[in-house]
Amino acid sequence: MFEILEKKQIVPKEYDMWVKAPRVASHVKPGQFVVVRTDEKGERIPLTVADFNREDGRIRLIFQTVGKSTYEMSKMNVGDFLADVVGPLGTPSEVKKHGTVLMIGGGVGIAALFPVLKELKKLGNKVITILGGRTSDLVIMKDECAEYSDELIITTDDGTAGIKGVVTDGMKMLVERGEHVDYAWAIGPTIMMKFAALTAKDLNIPIWVSLNPIMVDGTGMCGACRVTVNGNIKFACVDGPEFDGHDVAWSELMTRLKQYKDQEKISLEKYLTEVGEM
Amino acid sequence: MMALNIPKNKTPIAEQEPEIRNHNFKEVVLGYTLEEAITESNRCLQCLTHPCVAGCPVSIDIPGFILSLRKNDLGESIKILKSYNNLPAVCGRVCPQESQCEGKCTVGLMKDHEPVAIGKLERFVADWAASHEEIEESPQLVESETKGKVAVIGAGPSGLTVAADLAKRGYKVKIFEALHEPGGVLIYGIPEFRLPKTIVKREIRAIEELGVELEKDVVVGKTLTPEELKDEYDAIYIGTGAGTPRFMNIPGTNLNGVYSASEFLTRINLMHAYEFPKYDTPIRIGKRVVVVGAGNVAMDGSRSALRLGAEKSMIIYRRSEKEMPARIEEYHHAMEEGIEFHWLTNPIEYIGDENGNVKSVRCLKMELGEPDASGRRRPVPIEGSEFTIEADTVIEAIGQTSNKVLLSAFPELKLNKRGYIEANSETSATSVEGVYAGGDIVTGAATVILAMGAGKKSAQAIDEYLGSKKKA
């Protein structure tokens, strides 16, 4: 059992939690994730570790309510216990001194980008960060990312902050002004990562993306999370979650993410009815 | 020989009717009554050679437990069983008895005779003991001085066996399990209708009562490193299982509706997808299901699909009925339940619809050629034999390879050519001193009882190793 130590809602539908998980906290590296089960009847859901404190044995999970499990988790409070938190899982990010790195984040993916960005900064890279969202209020962790970035660019669809546009507009702007980028990371909604990868290809920038397919065990046992990368089947849970963005079969990934759409709807509606929010 | 007048056939056992059971997940075989069990025990000749014992990977005193049963001394009978086997209710249900104890049984070698139903008797005695727990003596725990600390990685059949045997010998044992429930394949792989989970949990509880400590949610190699375990424990046993599914790797493998059997069964068994939405984990089941492969896992997959409401559940296998690796009882049960078998058939492509869902399987007919490395005749495609089977769910049950999560964090550990851990077949010792390994992570996917056999030998070897280390 894993105790919730802190919890707050950061934007509508997104929550920020610190959880006691000493074994995870002492071993986790940027880019890794945990599998969480809220209770005895729960699903196993993968969540990226957004931050950690090895001394206090705690990890930070930032998540968006999308289905039953995350809704249920959002209803849990400080002092409650998650049934299971297992990890750290997956292969850590390849963080080293690259030179100039471009960190692109969108939606709740910004939380997954943050520990990688922080580590890259500590390793002496020049960090340029682009955070995108529909509107200014939905762009999370601006201040925290700014703290570890040499430059922070915001893009919003409605122009309420930064550049009016999407993250790829920010990417192009940087290159146009003559910025040389040695490596890029894009973490966010699949569609954002796809277009960031396509733009990076045009701009001749190598790019890592962090994939979020459906998982069950998260340890390579089942193959639910298989993705095609460079023509080969890879398991995102052990071979990833980060892959070379130029090699990912994006449309297949997006199709596979919809695999349980109907069941997810049934499950969420049943839950919302039970808690009286339907 | 007087005994020739024993009944030729095994005492019949009650089972759920096929047309009822293929719609539920309750256990298929209902078990003997005491009277039936004693009747069956009287078919045992108590022969002096007792070849059945040699056929058992853990050398259970089979004539002994049967004799006590015959005398209606069930307390003694379970004591005999438990002294050899920590999981008798499990083994009575899932061992391939036909190729082990029962395959060697003297009665079975007599003309027109079936062997003694050893597995069913083992199950009867174990189930009886579970419902009479007060009869079982509480185990004697060695509280004061332990002989050493042993870490066991993986709470499957082999890890549980090592842990129980070492705890009985006075060691302090801790098992680290990656999943949220202990049991390994007994929990995530074998379905409820073949092995009820309450039985697995009961047998694991008995092992915990021996003083074995269990921590779930620990993936050794990730949550803890092998180095940390080496620092804290005097010996380590690795029983992580075979653990990563193989795919046919044919076009369409990643279409929606194509599962590995590991995923399909894990969703159902570990995650209770058959009770969705009471449990949160979903599963997709189509009207027509194709399972590729013909081992026990394939049978489990195809029979589970029927129970989830598939109208037709088919098994396609590239070899013939004769080479099928499944346990004979599972095959019979599958046929009774209406599983359709397509022998000498191999898939070459999965075809999807416009939404990325699988809709059919393109296959080739095969014929058997010369024997291959496995000694079985090699299936060879027949030219121009292509045909298509409509299917909206496909389950690939074509075996596993070794899971690399622990192995890549433990580079000193020597692996064999197939990527499994190299371990001494007698002692289970690996290339690293004090580190032992057994079960599927050494042999590749095999049976529960073989994994337990490795666990038994390893417990003995670890005891000897730590004993000699102490003296030195």
Side-chain angles (χ1 to χ4, degrees):
Chain A
M1 301 289 270
F2 299 81
E3 191 181 358
I4 298 169
L5 303 170
E6 283 178 39
K7 177 207 169 187
K8 64 175 183 227
Q9 185 166 9
I10 44 174
V11 293
K13 294 193 157 206
E14 285 178 36
Y15 295 82
D16 185 346
M17 256 183 196
W18 282 89
V19 176
K20 185 108 188 153
R23 290 204 198 277
V24 180
S26 60
H27 293 84
V28 65
K29 293 192 180 111
Q32 291 189 298
F33 65 94
V34 288
V35 161
V36 172
R37 213 169 58 116
T38 50
D39 62 30
E40 285 310 310
K41 293 191 170 66
E43 281 182 284
R44 294 172 66 96
I45 55 164
L47 294 172
T48 308
V49 178
D51 207 348
F52 48 87
N53 183 324
R54 300 200 201 282
E55 291 71 41
D56 297 351
R58 41 164 69 195
I59 59 167
R60 185 181 184 190
L61 302 175
I62 295 177
F63 61 94
Q64 184 178 14
T65 51
V66 286
K68 195 256 175 177
S69 301
T70 42
Y71 266 93
E72 195 172 27
M73 200 167 150
S74 76
K75 298 273 180 225
M76 296 176 83
N77 290 308
V78 171
D80 289 344
F81 288 84
L82 296 165
D84 301 278
V85 175
V86 60
L89 301 173
T91 306
S93 308
E94 247 189 67
V95 282
K96 59 178 182 193
K97 176 107 191 244
H98 289 283
T100 300
V101 291
L102 174 57
M103 308 304 288
I104 305 154
V108 77
I110 294 170
L113 186 78
F114 176 65
V116 186
L117 169 160
K118 189 171 163 186
E119 189 68 20
L120 285 164
K121 180 67 193 162
K122 282 187 192 162
L123 290 167
N125 290 284
K126 177 181 175 190
V127 177
I128 304 174
T129 302
I130 305 175
L131 302 181
R134 245 184 20 247
T135 184
S136 176
D137 290 350
L138 293 179
V139 181
I140 61 168
M141 302 178 86
K142 292 187 205 85
D143 295 343
E144 284 175 282
C145 289
E147 197 184 332
Y148 298 96
S149 303
D150 293 274
E151 183 180 354
L152 176 69
I153 298 161
I154 308 281
T155 68
T156 48
D157 297 0
D158 63 0
T160 45
I163 302 173
K164 184 173 192 299
V166 289
V167 292
T168 48
D169 296 325
M171 294 169 72
K172 287 177 205 153
M173 183 274 284
L174 280 174
V175 174
E176 276 163 22
R177 81 168 189 210
E179 196 72 54
H180 172 80
V181 176
D182 293 291
Y183 234 105
W185 263 261
I187 310 183
T190 309
I191 191 76
M192 182 211 89
M193 293 193 284
K194 175 185 170 176
F195 282 103
L198 287 172
T199 305
K201 181 131 197 151
D202 287 343
L203 303 173
N204 211 10
I205 302 170
I207 186 166
W208 290 105
V209 291
S210 179
L211 305 186
N212 57 338
I214 295 166
M215 291 186 187
V216 184
D217 65 282
T219 63
M221 268 181 53
C222 82
C225 65
R226 60 194 192 275
V227 288
T228 301
V229 179
N230 203 9
N232 298 310
I233 294 181
K234 295 283 177 191
F235 291 2
C237 69
V238 288
D239 302 318
E242 290 186 5
F243 293 101
D244 183 334
H246 301 320
D247 291 342
V248 173
W250 292 103
S251 60
E252 177 191 282
L253 172 64
M254 284 188 259
T255 304
R256 287 183 66 77
L257 280 166
K258 285 184 250 162
Q259 186 148 203
Y260 295 98
K261 214 175 57 207
D262 299 344
Q263 290 91 336
E264 283 160 4
K265 190 161 172 259
I266 293 169
S267 196
L268 180 59
E269 284 175 0
K270 176 175 173 276
Y271 176 73
L272 292 178
T273 307
E274 279 165 13
V275 297
E277 292 186 15
M278 191 68 188
Chain B
M1 205 164 28
M2 283 240 317
L4 280 177
N5 57 19
I6 60 168
K8 284 185 175 160
N9 295 321
K10 292 178 177 175
T11 309
I13 195 156
E15 291 179 348
Q16 276 197 74
E17 291 301 324
E19 56 278 14
I20 293 172
R21 72 182 191 234
N22 64 14
H23 296 295
N24 69 53
F25 273 86
K26 293 192 198 111
E27 195 171 15
V28 168
V29 180
L30 302 172
Y32 280 143
T33 61
L34 175 62
E35 203 183 358
E36 288 164 346
I38 291 180
T39 304
E40 182 62 16
S41 71
N42 279 314
R43 292 182 68 237
C44 173
L45 297 177
Q46 292 291 315
C47 60
L48 292 174
T49 52
H50 48 70
C52 52
V53 177
C56 173
V58 297
S59 311
I60 294 175
D61 175 10
I62 293 166
F65 99 80
I66 291 182
L67 186 62
S68 298
L69 165 60
R70 182 186 291 177
K71 292 178 189 156
N72 200 2
D73 186 354
L74 290 158
E76 181 60 23
S77 189
I78 186 66
K79 226 193 223 165
I80 295 171
L81 273 176
K82 281 251 172 169
S83 68
Y84 294 90
N85 180 347
N86 297 299
L87 307 167
V90 170
C91 289
R93 287 172 166 84
V94 304
C95 269
Q97 287 94 4
E98 69 267 20
S99 57
Q100 297 178 351
C101 54
E102 294 182 22
K104 299 263 162 54
C105 172
T106 308
V107 176
L109 297 177
M110 298 183 338
K111 191 172 180 290
D112 301 331
H113 280 64
E114 286 179 348
V116 175
I118 299 169
K120 300 285 186 282
L121 292 178
E122 180 182 26
R123 166 197 165 134
F124 170 80
V125 174
D127 286 358
W128 174 88
S131 55
H132 295 77
E133 269 173 52
E134 70 282 4
I135 314 258
E136 269 186 272
E137 281 174 48
S138 55
Q140 295 170 341
L141 298 182
V142 186
E143 286 288 357
S144 51
E145 208 185 323
T146 66
K147 289 160 77 182
K149 284 173 77 182
V150 181
V152 173
I153 308 172
S158 86
L160 289 168
T161 301
V162 175
D165 276 21
L166 286 172
K168 284 180 189 167
R169 289 168 197 247
Y171 290 90
K172 193 164 168 37
V173 186
K174 181 157 181 177
I175 310 181
F176 296 96
E177 168 57 42
L179 292 173
H180 58 260
E181 268 197 50
V185 73
L186 308 175
I187 286 288
Y188 72 75
I190 304 176
E192 181 76 16
F193 58 82
R194 204 144 77 74
L195 179 64
K197 301 301 159 242
T198 48
I199 286 163
V200 180
K201 286 178 185 165
R202 193 175 75 206
E203 301 214 320
I204 292 172
R205 205 183 320 123
I207 290 170
E208 285 183 283
E209 279 164 13
L210 295 169
V212 172
E213 205 188 328
L214 228 156
E215 185 175 338
K216 60 175 190 165
D217 295 331
V218 178
V219 182
V220 176
K222 296 281 186 192
T223 316
L224 280 176
T225 63
E227 283 309 315
E228 287 171 287
L229 289 185
K230 276 202 277 186
D231 289 346
E232 200 183 331
Y233 294 87
D234 302 307
I236 298 173
Y237 179 80
I238 304 171
T240 50
T244 212
R246 235 188 251 282
F247 286 94
M248 293 289 296
N249 246 318
I250 57 178
T253 301
N254 286 1
L255 285 167
N256 286 348
V258 179
Y259 285 98
S260 74
S262 308
E263 181 189 351
F264 190 76
L265 291 172
T266 299
R267 283 181 178 272
I268 296 171
N269 301 325
L270 177 72
M271 305 310 298
H272 291 255
Y274 66 97
E275 296 183 76
F276 178 87
K278 192 174 131 199
Y279 282 75
D280 295 341
T281 303
I283 195 151
R284 279 164 55 130
I285 193 75
K287 291 193 166 79
R288 293 170 57 89
V289 178
V290 161
V291 179
V292 183
N296 289 323
V297 173
M299 304 293 145
D300 288 344
S302 66
R303 296 170 69 195
S304 297
L306 270 189
R307 284 160 171 79
L308 288 169
E311 287 166 13
K312 200 181 198 56
S313 184
M314 297 162 268
I315 279 187
I316 64 177
Y317 182 46
R318 64 197 180 116
R319 301 179 194 256
S320 73
E321 183 182 15
K322 203 169 138 243
E323 292 83 22
M324 168 192 70
R327 236 176 133 234
I328 201 81
E329 184 178 357
E330 308 316 326
Y331 176 47
H332 285 157
H333 282 154
M335 285 208 296
E336 284 173 2
E337 289 168 14
I339 305 296
E340 210 177 274
F341 288 83
H342 297 254
W343 308 113
L344 294 164
T345 301
N346 206 30
I348 51 170
E349 184 180 0
Y350 305 123
I351 315 270
D353 66 14
E354 62 284 2
N355 298 316
N357 297 310
V358 65
K359 63 171 187 184
S360 62
V361 184
R362 260 176 70 217
C363 301
L364 276 181
K365 289 303 272 181
M366 313 291 276
E367 59 190 351
L368 294 178
E370 294 299 308
D372 63 13
S374 74
R376 296 174 299 178
R377 292 177 62 193
R378 182 195 303 274
V380 190
I382 300 174
E383 228 177 286
S385 65
E386 225 179 281
F387 68 103
T388 300
I389 303 176
E390 272 179 54
D392 39 16
T393 301
V394 172
I395 302 163
E396 290 192 351
I398 56 164
Q400 285 106 42
T401 57
S402 61
N403 189 311
K404 298 290 184 288
V405 171
L406 170 66
L407 304 183
S408 52
F410 205 163
E412 314 92 280
L413 210 56
K414 222 170 140 188
L415 306 183
N416 63 25
K417 284 199 298 267
R418 295 157 58 226
Y420 295 100
I421 298 174
E422 198 169 285
N424 182 298
S425 60
E426 280 310 305
T427 64
S428 303
T430 68
S431 59
V432 180
E433 195 194 320
V435 178
Y436 294 74
D440 286 3
I441 191 61
V442 171
T443 57
T447 61
V448 168
I449 190 69
L450 283 174
M452 290 174 57
K456 277 221 117 47
K457 281 188 194 164
S458 191
Q460 171 78 26
I462 291 171
D463 188 19
E464 282 166 16
Y465 163 71
L466 292 178
S468 66
K469 213 170 121 181
K470 211 165 208 177
K471 267 183 234 144

